[in-house]
Amino acid sequence: MNPLKLLVLAVFFYIGWRLVRKSLFPNINNHAEPTVRSDNMDKVKDILVEDPVCHTFVPKKDAIRLRYEGRTYYFCSEACCDSFSVTVEENK
Ligand SMILES: [Zn+2]
């Protein structure tokens, strides 16, 4: 048996296992977040969002949120959130 065939076989078994597991435990990836507070929370939890103050990318679920004029802004820390609030207040 050559290595390529082995690899194909391994991939085949891996996909097969994933399908079997999915049909046996359809909720395996959903139990971690039982409290969905806002719409699409479970879909967006791993999206990276940019902090408009220091331009760091942070996971949406860990970001500090601020609603301002109908938009939601995300920050890496309270300090960035505060500094953004000050900036928008000054620009009014
Ligand atoms: Zn920041």
Side-chain angles (χ1 to χ4, degrees):
M1 198 175 234
N2 69 47
L4 192 70
K5 266 190 183 169
L6 261 177
L7 185 73
V8 170
L9 213 65
V11 170
F12 183 78
F13 275 117
Y14 176 70
I15 292 169
W17 161 242
R18 289 286 297 263
L19 288 174
V20 168
R21 199 176 65 158
K22 210 171 181 181
S23 60
L24 288 178
F25 313 106
N27 295 322
I28 198 155
N29 293 321
N30 296 336
H31 64 80
E33 205 120 352
T35 49
V36 177
R37 279 166 299 173
S38 72
D39 49 327
N40 297 331
M41 263 292 274
D42 52 342
K43 278 186 207 161
V44 298
K45 64 183 173 186
D46 290 316
I47 288 175
L48 288 178
V49 286
E50 190 179 358
D51 181 325
V53 176
C54 66
H55 302 283
T56 301
F57 285 89
V58 284
K60 207 166 192 172
K61 65 177 162 58
D62 297 333
I64 311 282
R65 287 148 191 261
L66 177 74
R67 287 288 291 179
Y68 176 73
E69 291 187 346
R71 274 199 64 182
T72 305
Y73 295 89
Y74 299 92
F75 304 92
C76 68
S77 64
E78 293 278 0
C80 283
C81 184
D82 287 348
S83 123
F84 179 83
S85 310
V86 169
T87 309
V88 292
E89 286 303 314
E90 280 173 355
N91 291 340
K92 256 184 184 171

